[in-house]
Amino acid sequence: LLAKIKCVLAELQIQSPSLFALNEYHQFMVDVDPISLAKDALIRYTSLVDKLNREFTFKGSQNQKHSSSYNAFINSLSNQKYQFARSSQQYISTHHPQSVLHGSHTKMLYHYPSEFRLIAEFLQCIHVLGQNQVIVHDPRMSSYHFENGQKAAKNLILYPQQRLFVMNLANVYSKKNQWDKYDEFVNIWSDISILSNLKLSKSVSSKIYGSLSKLTPYAPEYESTMKTLLFTQCTADKMRYQCQYKNALQEYQKSLSLIQCLFDAKPSKHSKKSPNQHTRSKDDFLPLLKMQCTIKRKYAKCLLHLRDPKSLQKCSDLCGEILAEQSVLDDLQIAKTKLCIAQCLLLQIQHRAIMHIIWRGNEETAQLQDILVANMNEAVTDMEEHNVEMDIQYIHKFDTNGIAAVLYIRQNLIQCLLIFIHLTTVNPELIKQTSFALAYIYGLTNVEWTAMFLNMAQSVITRHGAIKQYEKQLQNIHHQWEEFKIADKKYNRREAPLRDIKNEQSVDLEDINMNHLTASMRKLKINKKRKEYSFNKADYLSHEEYKALYTKFQHKLLIVKYYQSDRRFLDYHDLPHCYQLIDAMRSKFYSQTVDFLQYSWNCVSVEVDELLRTMLVCVINPSSVTRKAATEMTVVEIPINRNRNDAESKQEEDQDNDDEDDDGFLNTLYFHNDTDHDDEHEMKHNANPHHHKYDRIMRDFNAFLKEANESTHSGKDCTDKDDIKSWWEKRFQLDTMLKNHLQSIESDILGFFRCLFIPNFRDENGKKLIKSACKSLVQAINEYLQKKTNDEYLTTCLIDTMRDKRCNEDITVFSPKMLLFQKFLQLMYICHGTQNAVEDREIAQCLTYIFKVHDSYVMNKLLGTVKEQISIIHEKFSSEFNAKEFDSLLFTIGDTLKHIPWESIAILQRVVPSICRVPCLEFAALRVLEYSKYKHSKDEMLKYYYIINPKGDLKKTESRFDRLLNEEWTGIKNKVPSLQQFQDGLEKHDVFLYVGHNGGEEFVNYAKLETFNIKSITFLMGCSSGLLRKKGEFQSNGITNYYMIASCPIIVANLWDVTDKDIDQFSSQMLRKCVLKKEHLVDIPKAVNVSRSVCKLKYLNGAAPICYGIPFHLFNGIHV
């Protein structure tokens, strides 16, 4: 019964997750995790069957005179034959629930005779496990569970269940863009359908469908209709993932027609003897109504991607029809529909004047924000009829319909976001899309909110993994502490009341970690098995240790969570409360994340939304009390893949507005493809989004990456001199190709916005010089433009002062566009007098974007002034500070951009700063919290550990590292490490070096890794060890994300496959600069950046190593 209840709860959590966001379930929030519930249910079912089979006697054959239990017979069979999957990967044996009973192997238990009564329950649990893994974007484990279910259903000849698992597998592989596997399972579906196509007799059919026939004559064909619906939806989904939107629309239309036939069917005639005449209502078709709404939403998503006005209008109307059925939909389905409406409206107003004002950053932007704030609590239902309150002076200045549209978009998106983050199980892509859209629609009207939303869009899957892991660890600590207090009271007869752990004062115990708790839990488990119930304090931790451990993980959880909440019921219709929650999130983000970051870290976030065809780049410079510097931020919008006709249609709509487009130069940059093409060819390219510049660059880079990985391994097959020579020629060609690709990304995508990637000068004099030059130039330009426009010019570069409560002093703050201008001046200063000097064209583009200059005479005047000022500064002050040392750079990279080596673009190779990547800024704040007291003296003995050549096939690499590493290093070579050895190397040492294939996934699985308490600086020098793989529609993920969850300070890893000799040379040089030498050591990311040049292929191999984590020094920690 308990197993059944847990399975039902798990399924409910997936089908209606909003039910579990209520306060009543908060006390066991971790317990209602679908994975935990379904696994525990499977374990209980298996245990029950195991007990039944102990009593079940299996009679031997005629030649055998003895009989034995069925369990003994099964155990006598070959393990290999009855395993679920043939693989050496550890996650199979550790993830499968039945491994609890059957050790390291998992025998297929679905053929037990006594288990036939539990078939439905078993398959239901497996289906729940697979469904949940799809939602949380873990395609590997979802396909693993679905394949298990498919095999079990096939062995038991259960065709309906087998069809369900097969179609789920087809959906997973279509989402992963593995079309060959998709076709394989579609063929299996067809075979099953042929085998199971048996018609029921009339008597059986009437008994089964009798009551349903009163509602619809289609009842006897209901099962076959649902099979057709399921298959048609799957086909349409595949076409949508392949961007064949028009074909997908046809398939979705077929599905909607089938459902409509069931709705429109007239009921059968009732018998005259029947006293009750049943009248049909929508409640009779509740499952079909929900399915219809789901298909309509998918239909609307296809219309979004077509982007033409008619399709967008139809999409909006369709979403309106869905929301009209709110009474039968749960919050998750409503939120998905609202997100679709918001994205549709964003595409409709994207090229209108209202969006340019949002991103202009001048007085008009502030005025618009005042109007939006004054009207934000009034729900918008009809944009054309909505009453917008504003001062009379703004009536002719702003379009009321545009303001109503912005209000409607913001309200819908904020409601969506709050619904999504309140759910314990939700698709992370939904949060990413919603957060990005919010950042886009807020723009420069509220930069603090925009920067926060953009950070929320980063690595949602990793943040959710950290939240679940820390909640689970907190629950374990709390549970065992309570057990300790109960046992202590029971056996020691204490009369003093026990205190609540949540009200305990924090105790600073640095050495306490989860390993101590795990060891204690293991002791207690062993005692329980031995039935030793005597109380021994040595088996537990002390009150102070429990307290310190609980406090530590509570702080970690509070940092990674979106906001501090008691998870009370969310009424998303209450707009004032929704905005209060968003503001609470903003307050937490800046007080518990940004304020934790080091002043010397320049944080850059880059994210792309391919539906909105927009890239957002945000820069955050953290504050410093000692230097009296406030947090400064800027955000820019870079259009990508937009059609020229979109912009032209906007200009036609706004032709009565004499205000010119302030970023018109962006149209010329990003709306064209190749200028040497004729008009007809250009029209064809504009008609096809796959031929836009951004898509072309990304497609070419992905093709290059595939070719480079194949080339890396093809060298093993080269035997004669000609083959070796050809192989090296190909490698050098690929090296040049990568260099050209990075140049194309820098010049064609970023343009002059690449200045945002440059960190500030390390020297304070350099910072003051650039800041002073920016102030003087902005003041002169503003005065000149005011004079030229008769005081009608609205300034975008503003200087403000704010009161810093921490130092109780006024601090100067630059506006976002002024900070952008300061960064651009720094770029001009760095490149001045070199062959990479900033061109006049880029200076003109920057001045157009920031100061809204269109007159050619004025532009030439400003251009000359800026260039002259930079020349004077360079000549007079270049000797007064060190212009070669820069602050550190902290990257948060968008999901579709993580495979690009941004660290190796030309401008960053010129300044060579320390560069690290983090999933989102909360993980950087976590590392500061954990390692703020880290410091070692140079005379202190540190612990070094290595795992080299674990498979024994890298003999040359092993010999190179034998010569490099001294006797201070311990570890294993030419031997497969155990899980415990891997864990000890990471947890009990200061430096951990792995030199083998990939990142060591074969020896430690992800689920175990994220539970570790890693304190070592980690080097994973295998092929693609740092690649976060993007599998179709699923968010990118990889082993480094689990290292980040496990508190690793910094990881060095490779983005793609590399050759051993080159990467060994790089590793040797890097280790000498940051670990091996005791004097003049640099921080780890700096050592990585300066060591790239030792590679023979400086891009193909030298650009592969990158850093995840924070800028970290072997002795000084984060204070670098």
Side-chain angles (χ1 to χ4, degrees):
L1 180 61
L2 184 58
K4 182 69 176 177
I5 291 171
K6 290 200 171 195
C7 189
V8 170
L9 276 176
E11 194 164 21
L12 273 176
Q13 171 76 318
I14 291 173
Q15 299 296 336
S16 299
S18 56
L19 292 175
F20 294 83
L22 303 180
N23 192 46
E24 289 83 349
Y25 295 98
H26 177 55
Q27 298 300 323
F28 56 96
M29 192 56 63
V30 178
D31 288 341
V32 298
D33 175 59
I35 296 178
S36 302
L37 288 169
K39 278 187 176 181
D40 190 58
L42 264 180
I43 291 169
R44 291 176 183 276
Y45 284 136
T46 307
S47 178
L48 173 60
V49 170
D50 195 57
K51 291 177 182 178
L52 291 172
N53 286 323
R54 289 174 195 164
E55 307 300 325
F56 180 87
T57 303
F58 176 75
K59 293 183 179 180
S61 63
Q62 293 180 355
N63 297 328
Q64 294 175 328
K65 297 182 179 180
H66 66 279
S67 60
S68 63
S69 70
Y70 197 82
N71 276 355
F73 167 71
I74 293 299
N75 289 331
S76 69
L77 298 176
S78 168
N79 289 342
Q80 190 68 21
K81 183 178 178 182
Y82 293 93
Q83 281 182 344
F84 274 109
R86 296 183 179 182
S87 173
S88 61
Q89 295 182 357
Q90 288 187 352
Y91 78 87
I92 289 180
S93 61
T94 55
H95 277 74
H96 200 280
Q98 296 181 11
S99 63
V100 174
L101 298 176
H102 294 270
S104 61
H105 63 272
T106 51
K107 290 187 176 181
M108 187 176 289
L109 302 180
Y110 300 106
H111 60 292
Y112 279 22
S114 59
E115 195 171 310
F116 274 90
R117 71 195 74 179
L118 298 172
I119 287 173
E121 286 81 358
F122 266 91
L123 295 182
Q124 183 186 20
C125 288
I126 295 175
H127 189 254
V128 168
L129 285 169
Q131 274 189 310
N132 186 77
Q133 298 292 3
V134 171
I135 293 173
V136 299
H137 281 217
D138 191 347
R140 182 187 62 169
M141 289 306 301
S142 62
S143 57
Y144 168 69
H145 288 303
F146 285 144
E147 284 174 3
N148 288 343
Q150 190 263 341
K151 289 177 183 178
K154 179 182 178 181
N155 290 347
L156 295 166
I157 321 177
L158 299 173
Y159 294 127
Q161 287 85 348
Q162 189 183 0
R163 274 199 306 269
L164 182 62
F165 284 115
V166 167
M167 196 48 59
N168 279 315
L169 281 166
N171 273 319
V172 170
Y173 284 113
S174 65
K175 276 190 172 185
K176 292 169 68 175
N177 294 348
Q178 294 184 7
W179 310 119
D180 53 341
K181 295 288 289 184
Y182 169 85
D183 293 336
E184 176 188 336
F185 283 104
V186 167
N187 292 333
I188 294 174
W189 163 278
S190 302
D191 295 341
I192 299 170
S193 299
I194 293 172
L195 290 172
S196 60
N197 193 18
L198 300 175
K199 291 186 178 180
L200 298 174
S201 64
K202 289 185 179 180
S203 59
V204 175
S205 179
S206 61
K207 289 180 181 179
I208 296 176
Y209 300 111
S211 58
L212 193 61
S213 298
K214 295 178 182 179
L215 300 177
T216 170
Y218 285 91
E221 290 79 29
Y222 179 78
E223 185 178 356
S224 61
T225 304
M226 294 309 295
K227 282 194 296 184
T228 307
L229 265 175
L230 190 61
F231 183 78
T232 308
Q233 273 194 77
C234 185
T235 305
D237 289 342
K238 174 207 172 185
M239 292 174 176
R240 181 160 59 94
Y241 300 144
Q242 290 179 322
C243 301
Q244 299 175 8
Y245 300 115
K246 291 185 178 179
N247 294 335
L249 287 173
Q250 294 176 2
E251 295 299 318
Y252 285 134
Q253 188 60 54
K254 290 179 185 177
S255 301
L256 291 172
S257 300
L258 284 171
I259 294 177
Q260 194 60 44
C261 287
L262 296 176
F263 288 153
D264 295 341
K266 295 179 180 179
S268 301
K269 293 181 179 179
H270 294 282
S271 172
K272 293 181 180 179
K273 297 180 181 179
S274 177
N276 298 323
Q277 296 294 326
H278 184 81
T279 304
R280 291 190 306 169
S281 67
K282 284 189 175 182
D283 292 339
D284 296 320
F285 300 101
L286 205 57
L288 287 177
L289 272 173
K290 290 184 177 181
M291 182 183 291
Q292 185 187 47
C293 290
T294 300
I295 297 173
K296 281 185 176 180
R297 182 169 46 78
K298 292 179 179 180
Y299 191 101
K301 293 291 287 184
C302 291
L303 293 172
L304 271 182
H305 288 275
L306 294 179
R307 304 177 65 85
D308 61 276
K310 289 184 179 179
S311 297
L312 292 178
Q313 185 57 48
K314 189 175 180 180
C315 172
S316 181
D317 296 340
L318 204 56
C319 291
E321 292 178 13
I322 298 172
L323 291 179
E325 305 289 347
Q326 285 194 38
S327 59
V328 301
L329 302 178
D330 63 18
D331 289 350
L332 179 59
Q333 292 171 307
I334 293 171
K336 288 180 179 179
T337 308
K338 283 178 173 286
L339 173 59
C340 190
I341 289 179
Q343 290 174 325
C344 179
L345 283 174
L346 265 174
L347 290 174
Q348 289 176 326
I349 71 169
Q350 191 171 45
H351 299 289
R352 294 184 183 174
I354 191 77
M355 285 301 294
H356 293 296
I357 295 173
I358 285 174
W359 283 97
R360 194 166 290 163
N362 59 7
E363 187 179 341
E364 276 186 329
T365 306
Q367 293 169 352
L368 175 62
Q369 177 64 5
D370 290 340
I371 297 171
L372 293 169
V373 170
N375 291 272
M376 67 181 186
N377 292 328
E378 187 67 31
V380 179
T381 54
D382 188 339
M383 287 178 288
E384 294 183 0
E385 301 295 331
H386 186 73
N387 182 28
V388 178
E389 296 182 4
M390 66 174 79
D391 290 342
I392 194 169
Q393 58 180 326
Y394 299 140
I395 289 179
H396 300 291
K397 193 171 186 178
F398 299 107
D399 175 26
T400 54
N401 288 339
I403 292 175
V406 172
L407 284 169
Y408 188 65
I409 292 169
R410 288 185 176 183
Q411 290 172 0
N412 276 282
L413 289 174
I414 283 175
Q415 290 171 336
C416 292
L417 183 65
L418 291 175
I419 290 173
F420 292 147
I421 66 177
H422 266 72
L423 303 178
T424 55
T425 304
V426 68
N427 183 346
E429 188 65 20
L430 295 174
I431 296 179
K432 181 249 180 182
Q433 292 179 9
T434 308
S435 301
F436 186 95
L438 277 166
Y440 185 42
I441 196 64
Y442 270 91
L444 298 182
T445 59
N446 191 335
V447 184
E448 287 191 347
W449 282 31
T450 302
M452 176 193 68
F453 287 134
L454 189 58
N455 180 71
M456 288 178 65
Q458 306 282 349
S459 295
V460 182
I461 190 172
T462 312
R463 186 201 285 248
H464 283 194
I467 291 173
K468 286 189 176 181
Q469 183 60 34
Y470 299 156
E471 282 181 340
K472 185 177 180 180
Q473 290 172 333
L474 263 180
Q475 189 193 39
N476 288 338
I477 298 166
H478 183 276
H479 178 70
Q480 193 185 345
W481 196 358
E482 290 298 324
E483 279 191 353
F484 166 67
K485 290 193 289 187
I486 292 170
D488 193 17
K489 183 178 180 179
K490 179 179 179 180
Y491 288 99
N492 292 341
R493 306 298 181 187
R494 289 189 176 182
E495 297 181 359
L498 295 172
R499 297 169 292 178
D500 184 4
I501 63 172
K502 295 182 180 179
N503 297 324
E504 296 276 6
Q505 294 294 321
S506 174
V507 176
D508 187 15
L509 296 174
E510 294 296 327
D511 296 333
I512 187 68
N513 56 56
M514 285 301 294
N515 291 338
H516 298 87
L517 184 73
T518 305
S520 174
M521 292 172 69
R522 192 179 295 118
K523 287 181 186 177
L524 295 173
K525 193 173 182 180
I526 292 171
N527 291 343
K528 190 173 182 181
K529 284 184 177 179
R530 294 175 178 173
K531 297 184 178 181
E532 296 178 3
Y533 298 110
S534 59
F535 176 68
N536 185 359
K537 269 195 172 183
D539 293 340
Y540 294 87
L541 305 183
S542 66
H543 274 292
E544 290 74 16
E545 287 172 330
Y546 280 121
K547 198 186 309 179
L549 199 56
Y550 188 89
T551 304
K552 180 185 294 186
F553 278 93
Q554 192 176 42
H555 287 167
K556 292 173 69 171
L557 181 61
L558 290 177
I559 287 177
V560 296
K561 286 177 68 174
Y562 293 103
Y563 64 97
Q564 300 176 17
S565 168
D566 57 357
R567 284 186 177 270
R568 68 183 178 128
F569 177 73
L570 171 68
D571 182 9
Y572 60 86
H573 297 291
D574 186 357
L575 287 175
H577 178 61
C578 290
Y579 282 108
Q580 288 174 9
L581 289 178
I582 296 295
D583 196 58
M585 292 164 61
R586 176 207 61 81
S587 177
K588 175 193 170 295
F589 174 66
Y590 289 98
S591 63
Q592 297 186 25
T593 300
V594 176
D595 286 351
F596 278 23
L597 305 181
Q598 300 292 293
Y599 170 69
S600 60
W601 295 352
N602 290 212
C603 306
V604 178
S605 298
V606 187
E607 184 61 273
V608 166
D609 190 303
E610 294 180 356
L611 173 64
L612 300 177
R613 295 183 178 178
T614 300
M615 173 186 284
L616 296 182
V617 181
C618 174
V619 177
I620 300 178
N621 293 333
S623 62
S624 172
V625 177
T626 57
R627 294 176 177 85
K628 299 180 181 178
T631 300
E632 292 182 321
M633 289 170 287
T634 186
V635 187
V636 298
E637 170 221 8
I638 305 177
I640 57 170
N641 292 342
R642 297 190 190 173
N643 291 330
R644 187 189 300 276
N645 56 359
D646 291 338
E648 289 174 353
S649 64
K650 183 274 301 181
Q651 291 173 359
E652 290 175 4
E653 292 176 10
D654 297 340
Q655 59 184 353
D656 295 334
N657 190 349
D658 58 357
D659 194 19
E660 293 187 62
D661 181 9
D662 58 317
D663 61 355
F665 80 94
L666 289 176
N667 300 343
T668 62
L669 273 178
Y670 304 108
F671 292 160
H672 78 284
N673 294 287
D674 297 318
T675 55
D676 56 343
H677 290 176
D678 56 27
D679 293 339
E680 183 180 356
H681 191 64
E682 184 177 351
M683 287 175 64
K684 289 180 181 178
H685 275 249
N686 282 338
N688 188 348
H690 292 290
H691 288 88
H692 287 293
K693 181 180 291 185
Y694 173 83
D695 277 343
R696 188 183 70 243
I697 292 172
M698 291 295 108
R699 186 176 64 252
D700 291 347
F701 183 81
N702 290 334
F704 152 79
L705 208 55
K706 183 179 179 181
E707 189 177 1
N709 287 335
E710 291 173 353
S711 169
T712 300
H713 302 287
S714 64
K716 299 176 183 178
D717 303 326
C718 298
T719 54
D720 56 36
K721 291 183 178 180
D722 291 337
D723 290 342
I724 294 172
K725 183 180 178 181
S726 299
W727 183 81
W728 274 109
E729 288 176 353
K730 182 64 176 178
R731 296 291 289 175
F732 279 108
Q733 289 175 6
L734 290 169
D735 189 68
T736 305
M737 285 174 61
L738 178 54
K739 181 180 179 181
N740 294 335
H741 281 311
L742 293 177
Q743 288 176 346
S744 181
I745 290 171
E746 184 175 358
S747 59
D748 295 343
I749 295 180
L750 295 178
F752 78 85
F753 290 121
R754 69 184 183 278
C755 66
L756 295 174
F757 285 53
I758 305 174
N760 296 329
F761 288 120
R762 168 95 20 131
D763 195 314
E764 286 296 323
N765 292 329
K767 292 176 183 176
K768 291 177 181 177
L769 178 64
I770 295 298
K771 192 177 282 282
S772 176
C774 181
K775 284 182 182 179
S776 59
L777 271 173
V778 164
Q779 184 178 0
I781 292 173
N782 285 342
E783 289 176 358
Y784 178 76
L785 292 176
Q786 290 283 0
K787 183 179 178 181
K788 281 289 181 181
T789 59
N790 297 322
D791 294 335
E792 292 183 0
Y793 171 70
L794 299 177
T795 58
T796 56
C797 292
L798 305 169
I799 304 173
D800 198 6
T801 57
M802 61 170 287
R803 194 74 175 175
D804 193 330
K805 297 179 180 178
R806 295 173 299 178
C807 61
N808 199 27
E809 293 186 18
D810 290 334
I811 298 177
T812 302
V813 182
F814 280 9
S815 68
K817 290 220 170 164
M818 189 161 180
L819 184 59
L820 171 62
F821 189 53
Q822 177 186 320
K823 288 282 188 182
F824 186 75
L825 292 178
Q826 186 183 13
L827 172 66
M828 291 184 65
Y829 181 90
I830 293 168
C831 299
H832 180 77
T834 68
Q835 61 179 1
N836 298 316
V838 181
E839 299 176 359
D840 290 355
R841 175 181 57 86
E842 287 189 319
I843 301 174
Q845 290 170 355
C846 180
L847 293 173
T848 302
Y849 180 78
I850 295 175
F851 297 101
K852 197 182 173 186
V853 178
H854 299 282
D855 185 86
S856 58
Y857 173 79
V858 175
M859 175 59 70
N860 291 333
K861 186 77 173 176
L862 297 183
L863 187 65
T865 302
V866 172
K867 291 176 66 177
E868 181 183 0
Q869 185 71 12
I870 292 297
S871 298
I872 293 172
I873 294 173
H874 200 277
E875 290 175 7
K876 289 187 176 181
F877 302 102
S878 59
S879 60
E880 294 189 6
F881 71 97
N882 185 357
K884 295 183 179 180
E885 291 292 329
F886 294 83
D887 284 339
S888 301
L889 190 59
L890 213 58
F891 266 139
T892 54
I893 306 294
D895 196 56
T896 57
L897 305 172
K898 293 182 186 293
H899 62 300
I900 297 175
W902 296 95
E903 294 83 350
S904 295
I905 62 175
I907 187 60
L908 291 180
Q909 284 300 294
R910 180 173 181 79
V911 301
V912 198
S914 298
I915 308 175
C916 282
R917 299 187 184 194
V918 287
C920 57
L921 292 181
E922 281 78 4
F923 282 90
L926 268 179
R927 297 299 93 88
V928 174
L929 176 70
E930 293 164 337
Y931 293 95
S932 58
K933 296 182 180 180
Y934 178 99
K935 194 171 181 66
H936 293 286
S937 67
K938 292 181 180 180
D939 298 329
E940 187 176 350
M941 288 294 294
L942 299 180
K943 297 179 181 179
Y944 307 90
Y945 192 84
Y946 60 76
I947 296 176
I948 297 176
N949 189 21
K951 285 198 167 182
D953 55 352
L954 300 172
K955 296 296 184 182
K956 292 182 180 179
T957 295
E958 184 179 336
S959 63
R960 292 185 193 113
F961 281 93
D962 279 342
R963 295 191 297 268
L964 178 69
L965 305 180
N966 57 29
E967 65 280 356
E968 294 180 355
W969 290 73
T970 60
I972 57 176
K973 291 183 292 187
N974 197 16
K975 181 182 175 183
V976 174
S978 66
L979 177 62
Q980 192 60 48
Q981 287 174 320
F982 215 102
Q983 182 174 358
D984 290 343
L986 290 168
E987 294 185 338
K988 298 180 179 180
H989 297 82
D990 300 291
V991 178
F992 176 84
L993 173 65
Y994 171 82
V995 182
H997 297 293
N998 305 114
E1001 297 93 332
E1002 294 178 81
F1003 315 116
V1004 54
N1005 63 71
Y1006 295 164
K1008 287 288 184 182
L1009 182 60
E1010 67 180 354
T1011 64
F1012 292 175
N1013 180 45
I1014 301 174
K1015 71 168 189 175
S1016 62
I1017 298 167
T1018 303
F1019 300 94
L1020 305 176
M1021 304 315 298
C1023 292
S1024 299
S1025 54
L1027 176 62
L1028 303 179
R1029 288 175 175 81
K1030 173 75 174 165
K1031 297 181 179 179
E1033 303 296 311
F1034 294 103
Q1035 285 200 346
S1036 57
N1037 202 2
I1039 195 168
T1040 54
N1041 282 344
Y1042 296 92
Y1043 274 89
M1044 295 301 297
I1045 295 173
S1047 301
C1048 186
I1050 186 168
I1051 310 110
V1052 180
N1054 295 312
L1055 272 179
W1056 54 80
D1057 293 355
V1058 288
T1059 50
D1060 54 356
K1061 186 175 181 181
D1062 236 5
I1063 204 64
D1064 291 348
Q1065 289 178 340
F1066 165 85
S1067 302
S1068 301
Q1069 178 76 351
M1070 172 191 62
L1071 290 171
R1072 290 190 190 100
K1073 288 185 176 296
C1074 64
V1075 173
L1076 297 178
K1077 291 182 179 180
K1078 297 299 181 184
E1079 300 293 335
H1080 308 297
L1081 290 182
V1082 298
D1083 59 275
I1084 284 87
K1086 181 76 171 180
V1088 170
N1089 227 353
V1090 298
S1091 300
R1092 301 183 193 278
S1093 57
V1094 303
C1095 295
K1096 189 172 185 178
L1097 300 173
K1098 293 180 174 54
Y1099 285 90
L1100 191 57
N1101 289 326
I1106 59 169
C1107 296
Y1108 292 94
I1110 57 174
F1112 204 81
H1113 192 279
L1114 179 63
F1115 295 117
N1116 300 329
I1118 63 175
H1119 304 289
V1120 297

